[in-house]
C-alpha cells in the first residue's frame, strides 16, 4: 500500500479539524512545492538522474535545506531502486514517506511540551524581535486556559519599547494576568516576582517572555543565564522548556537564528510562526534535520486556535493534500 493511501485512510478515519488547519495553513507551500513536483512528474516518462536533479532544485527552493535535500535525494534513489519504480507518478508517495522519516529520524515524536503533572511548569521563550514571540505566548496562554489550567504571563522583555504593553494586550485578550515591572527593569527581578506570584496563586503554567536582541550575543547570553539561574534556584529543574520562536517567512535566516540561539541557550523546542505566510515551508525539515531540535508548534493562521502542535504526518498531508485526496 502506498504511503499516500495509508495517509488518506488515516485522515478519513479521523474527525480531526487540526488536519484541515494544516491543509489550509500550508496552501502557499503546497502550491509552490507540490505544484512543481506535479509539473516535474508530468514531464518525465521515467525516473532518471535528470529527474532527481530537477527534484533536488525544487526542494532547495522550498527551503528544505541543502544537507536535508542531499540526504532525501540519496534515500529516494535507494528506495526507487529497491522497489524498482519506473513511473515518476509513484515517486510522489515515496517523497512524502521519506519526509516523515527524515523528520522523525527514527526517534520517538517529541512535539509534546514537558508539562509537569504536579506543581508549576515554567516555559521560557526566546527569539529575536518581530518573529511573533508575544503572539505565540498569548496563543499558548489561551490554549492552556481552555484546558482548565491556571496561567500567568511574564513580561521579561524589559528592553524593547512597547514589549510589556504588547504582552498586556494579549493578557487582556485571553483573560490571563501579566506579571510586569517598569520598562528597563532587571529581567531576572521580574522573573523572581513572577515565580513568587505563581507559587502563591497555585499557578499551573508560567509563560515567560525574554529580550530578543542579538546584536551582542555576550549580553544576551549573560541576561538569559541570569534569568535561568533565578528560575532554577526558586524551582529546581526549571525552566521545563526553553522554546525558540522563529518566523517561517524568513526561511534560511530562521535557521541561522536557531543556530545562534542554540549557542546561547539550551533550546528544547521550536515554535515556527507564520508558516501559513510562506511558500517555503520546507524550513521545518531543515531545522529538524540540521539542528536536531523538535518543532513543538506551528502557526497556521491569525486565529487564536491556529497555533497547532506539530505533527509530521499532518504536515506532509498539508504538503500533498491534493494528490493524497485523489488516491484510489
Amino acid at each position: 500500500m502506498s504511503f499516500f493511501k495509508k495517509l488518506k485512510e488515516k485522515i478519513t478515519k479521523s474527525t480531526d479539524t487540526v488536519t484541515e488547519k494544516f491543509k489550509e495553513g500550508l496552501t502557499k507551500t503546497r502550491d509552490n512545492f507540490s505544484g512543481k513536483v506535479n509539473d516535474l512528474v508530468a514531464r518525465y516518462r521515467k525516473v532518471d538522474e535528470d529527474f532527481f536533479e530537477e527534484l533536488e532544485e525544487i526542494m532547495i527552493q522550498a527551503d528544505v535545506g541543502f544537507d536535508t535535500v542531499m540526504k532525501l535525494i540519496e534515500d529516494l534513489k535507494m528506495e526507487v531502486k529497491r522497489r524498482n519504480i519506473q513511473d515518476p507518478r509513484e515517486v510522489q508517495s515515496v517523497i512524502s514517506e521519506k519526509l516523515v522519516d527524515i523528520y522523525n529520524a527514527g526517534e520517538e515524536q517529541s512535539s509534546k511540551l514537558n508539562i509537569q503533572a504536579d506543581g508549576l511548569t515554567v516555559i521560557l521563550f526566546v527569539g529575536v524581535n518581530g518573529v511573533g514571540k508575544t503572539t505565540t505566548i498569548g496563543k499558548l496562554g489561551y490554549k492552556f486556559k481552555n484546558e482548565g489550567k491556571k496561567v500567568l504571563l511574564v513580561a521579561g522583555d524589559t528592553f524593547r519599547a512597547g514589549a510589556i504593553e504588547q504582552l498586556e494586550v494579549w493578557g487582556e485578550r485571553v483573560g490571563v494576568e501579566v506579571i510586569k515591572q517598569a520598562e528597563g527593569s532587571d529581567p531576572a527581578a521580574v522573573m523572581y516576582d513572577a515565580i513568587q506570584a505563581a507559587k502563591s496563586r497555585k499557578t499551573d503554567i508560567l509563560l515567560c517572555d525574554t529580550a530578543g536582541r542579538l546584536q551582542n550575543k555576550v549580553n544576551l547570553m549573560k541576561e538569559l543565564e541570569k534569568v535561568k539561574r533565578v528560575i532554577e534556584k526558586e524551582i529546581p529543574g526549571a525552566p521545563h522548556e526553553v522554546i525558540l520562536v522563529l518566523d517561517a517567512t524568513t526561511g534560511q535566516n530562521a535557521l541561522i537564528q536557531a543556530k545562534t540561539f542554540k549557542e546561547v541557550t539550551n533550546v528544547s523546542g521550536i515554535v515556527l510562526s507564520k508558516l501559513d505566510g510562506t511558500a517555503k515551508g520546507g524550513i521545518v525539515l531543515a531545522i529538524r534535520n540540521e539542528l536536531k531540535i523538535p518543532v513543538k508548534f506551528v502557526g497556521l493562521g491569525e486565529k487564536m486556535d491556529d497555533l497547532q502542535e506539530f505533527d509530521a504526518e499532518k504536515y506532509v498531508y498539508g504538503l500533498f493534500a491534493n494528490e493524497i485526496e485523489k488516491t484510489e
Side-chain angles (χ1 to χ4, degrees), residues 59-60 63-75 98-99 102-103 252 255 282-292:
M59 288 181 169
I60 286 170
D63 261 350
V64 173
F66 183 78
D67 292 346
T68 313
V69 170
M70 292 303 104
K71 176 172 172 39
L72 182 59
I73 295 294
E74 189 183 322
D75 289 355
K98 291 300 167 191
L99 289 177
I102 278 181
Y103 185 85
Q252 289 298 305
L255 196 59
I283 193 67
V284 171
L285 294 154
I287 286 166
R288 178 65 169 136
N289 190 50
E290 293 187 35
L291 297 173
K292 309 294 184 239

Side-chain angles (χ1 to χ4, degrees), residues 187-202:
V190 181
M191 290 299 164
Y192 179 82
D193 283 357
I195 289 167
Q196 303 317 310
K199 283 178 177 177
S200 68
R201 295 169 206 185
K202 295 188 166 43

Side-chain angles (χ1 to χ4, degrees), residues 245-261:
V245 182
L246 297 171
D247 179 347
T249 64
T250 63
Q252 289 298 305
N253 193 38
L255 196 59
I256 294 163
Q257 284 173 27
K259 285 174 181 172
T260 305
F261 271 98

Side-chain angles (χ1 to χ4, degrees), residues 11 28 62 86 100 129 159 177 191 208 289 306 313:
I11 298 306
K28 287 185 180 178
Q86 305 292 327
V100 172
N129 297 331
F159 181 77
E177 190 182 345
M191 290 299 164
C208 313
N289 190 50
D306 282 339
E313 286 190 349

Side-chain angles (χ1 to χ4, degrees), residues 41-273:
V41 165
R43 284 189 287 105
Y44 277 81
R45 297 274 182 91
K46 62 177 182 176
V47 183
D48 57 16
E49 199 57 41
D50 289 341
F51 175 87
F52 281 118
E53 275 189 22
E54 284 202 47
L55 180 60
E56 186 181 299
E57 185 60 33
I58 290 167
M59 288 181 169
I60 286 170
Q61 286 173 2
D63 261 350
V64 173
F66 183 78
D67 292 346
T68 313
V69 170
M70 292 303 104
K71 176 172 172 39
L72 182 59
I73 295 294
E74 189 183 322
D75 289 355
L76 277 173
K77 284 180 178 177
M78 285 174 65
E79 199 63 23
V80 163
K81 190 176 180 181
R82 190 179 73 80
R83 298 189 199 179
N84 194 27
I85 293 171
Q86 305 292 327
D87 187 345
R89 285 174 299 181
E90 291 178 43
V91 177
Q92 284 175 299
S93 180
V94 184
I95 292 169
S96 66
E97 187 177 350
K98 291 300 167 191
L99 289 177
V100 172
D101 287 348
I102 278 181
Y103 185 85
N104 289 334
E107 301 166 20
E108 192 178 325
Q109 181 60 279
S110 51
S111 62
K112 298 281 182 194
L113 288 172
N114 180 23
I115 304 297
Q116 304 304 291
D118 298 304
L120 180 63
T121 299
V122 181
I123 304 175
L124 200 62
F125 291 84
V126 298
V128 301
N129 297 331
V131 293
K133 194 156 37 105
T134 312
T135 300
T136 297
I137 293 168
K139 286 183 176 180
L140 274 176
Y142 173 78
K143 169 185 156 54
F144 289 131
K145 193 185 175 199
N146 277 359
E147 289 171 1
K149 298 188 186 298
K150 288 183 181 176
V151 185
L152 274 179
L153 310 184
V154 189
D157 184 357
T158 59
F159 181 77
R160 180 172 63 89
I164 297 167
E165 290 80 0
Q166 194 183 351
L167 194 65
E168 282 185 298
V169 168
W170 270 103
E172 285 171 19
R173 196 179 294 175
V174 301
V176 171
E177 190 182 345
V178 176
I179 304 298
K180 60 170 186 174
Q181 286 186 16
E183 193 177 305
S185 300
D186 179 1
V190 181
M191 290 299 164
Y192 179 82
D193 283 357
I195 289 167
Q196 303 317 310
K199 283 178 177 177
S200 68
R201 295 169 206 185
K202 295 188 166 43
T203 301
D204 298 309
I205 313 270
L206 195 62
L207 303 178
C208 313
D209 195 8
T210 61
R213 58 193 186 279
L214 262 186
Q215 294 90 335
N216 188 327
K217 275 201 288 182
V218 176
N219 284 356
L220 181 64
M221 193 185 301
K222 283 180 180 170
E223 190 172 286
L224 287 173
E225 280 305 317
K226 191 177 173 187
V227 164
K228 283 175 78 177
R229 274 200 310 274
V230 168
I231 294 170
E232 283 165 6
K233 188 179 176 188
E234 296 304 312
I235 303 161
H240 304 99
E241 292 275 5
V242 178
I243 299 296
L244 172 61
V245 182
L246 297 171
D247 179 347
T249 64
T250 63
Q252 289 298 305
N253 193 38
L255 196 59
I256 294 163
Q257 284 173 27
K259 285 174 181 172
T260 305
F261 271 98
K262 198 180 177 188
E263 290 169 18
V264 170
T265 189
N266 187 23
V267 176
S268 60
I270 283 168
V271 170
L272 204 55
S273 68

